Amino acid sequence: GEEAFLRIARLVKRYGAAVVVMAFDEEGQAATTDEKVRICTRAYRLLVDKVGFPATDIIFDPNILTVATGIEEHNRYALNFFEATKIIRDTLPHCHISGGVSNISFSFRGNNLLRESIHSSFLFHGISYGMDMGIVNAGLIPLYSDIDPELLELIEDVLLCRKGNDATESLLAYSLTMGKGEKKATDEEKNKWRTLPVQERLKHA
């Protein structure tokens, strides 16, 4: 409830820390665009208007939820996050948006090659909508521009909810062909760039 929220917010402010606010309220976790915006707006007004919390120290996590589960209501989960992110950034000045990126791809546990490509695509679109923080292993995901075009189209059909459940089925079918005849890069190979000269490391980044 609000009383507990305000008590904790005042304590956080007293210690000079930033605050991460997830999109949960008394009724549970926000899943739709409207729910995410409503809960984050309510939290922002409490923090800024009642606590005097610096808006620049507010980080919202509007919940990155798993797509491609085969459940129709989950098909818009990525798009809901993107839409909510834009509205929050447009209407709640100076706040930040973060989220646990790996949540988006839980449907494909065990297929790290696919998951990393999904994370890269999600970040590409999330940033364009206003996401400016994220929890992700940046050293392991491919560059957006390096993702195979056919795979990228299938991933974005899912993330942008372009074909409903058909998008999930198509990506699942493609995932079953991944890794055949391909050598999976080891962590050592993926991190080889870290041993390069500074200019080369900057170019890689």
Side-chain angles (χ1 to χ4, degrees), residues 11-104:
L11 186 61
V12 173
K13 183 189 176 190
R14 175 183 168 189
Y15 284 102
V19 63
V20 178
V21 182
M22 297 192 70
F24 284 78
D25 67 4
E26 295 87 346
E27 297 178 8
Q29 178 174 248
T32 68
T33 301
D34 289 345
E35 289 170 350
K36 295 174 190 291
V37 172
R38 175 179 57 78
I39 292 173
C40 290
T41 300
R42 177 188 178 195
Y44 182 92
R45 296 266 66 95
L46 289 171
L47 288 166
V48 173
D49 299 342
K50 291 196 174 184
V51 179
F53 208 95
T56 51
D57 288 343
I58 300 172
I59 305 163
F60 285 115
D61 181 344
N63 306 332
I64 298 175
L65 303 175
T66 306
V67 295
T69 65
I71 300 173
E72 187 171 357
E73 66 186 79
H74 297 178
N75 290 341
R76 277 188 56 88
Y77 276 174
L79 198 55
N80 289 347
F81 180 91
F82 297 150
E83 291 173 350
T85 293
K86 177 167 175 50
I87 295 170
I88 291 167
R89 291 300 302 274
D90 286 348
T91 60
L92 307 178
H94 310 302
C95 71
H96 304 280
I97 299 290
S98 184
V101 177
S102 65
N103 292 352
I104 197 71

Side-chain angles (χ1 to χ4, degrees), residues 73-140:
E73 66 186 79
H74 297 178
N75 290 341
R76 277 188 56 88
Y77 276 174
L79 198 55
N80 289 347
F81 180 91
F82 297 150
E83 291 173 350
T85 293
K86 177 167 175 50
I87 295 170
I88 291 167
R89 291 300 302 274
D90 286 348
T91 60
L92 307 178
H94 310 302
C95 71
H96 304 280
I97 299 290
S98 184
V101 177
S102 65
N103 292 352
I104 197 71
S105 65
F106 277 163
S107 293
F108 296 99
R109 287 187 299 274
N111 189 336
N112 289 336
L113 189 61
L114 173 57
R115 293 191 69 184
E116 290 159 8
S117 296
I118 293 173
H119 300 164
S120 179
S121 180
F122 184 91
L123 280 172
F124 176 84
H125 291 285
I127 290 167
S128 74
Y129 278 86
M131 183 181 182
D132 58 348
M133 297 184 181
I135 303 167
V136 64
N137 191 334
L140 294 182

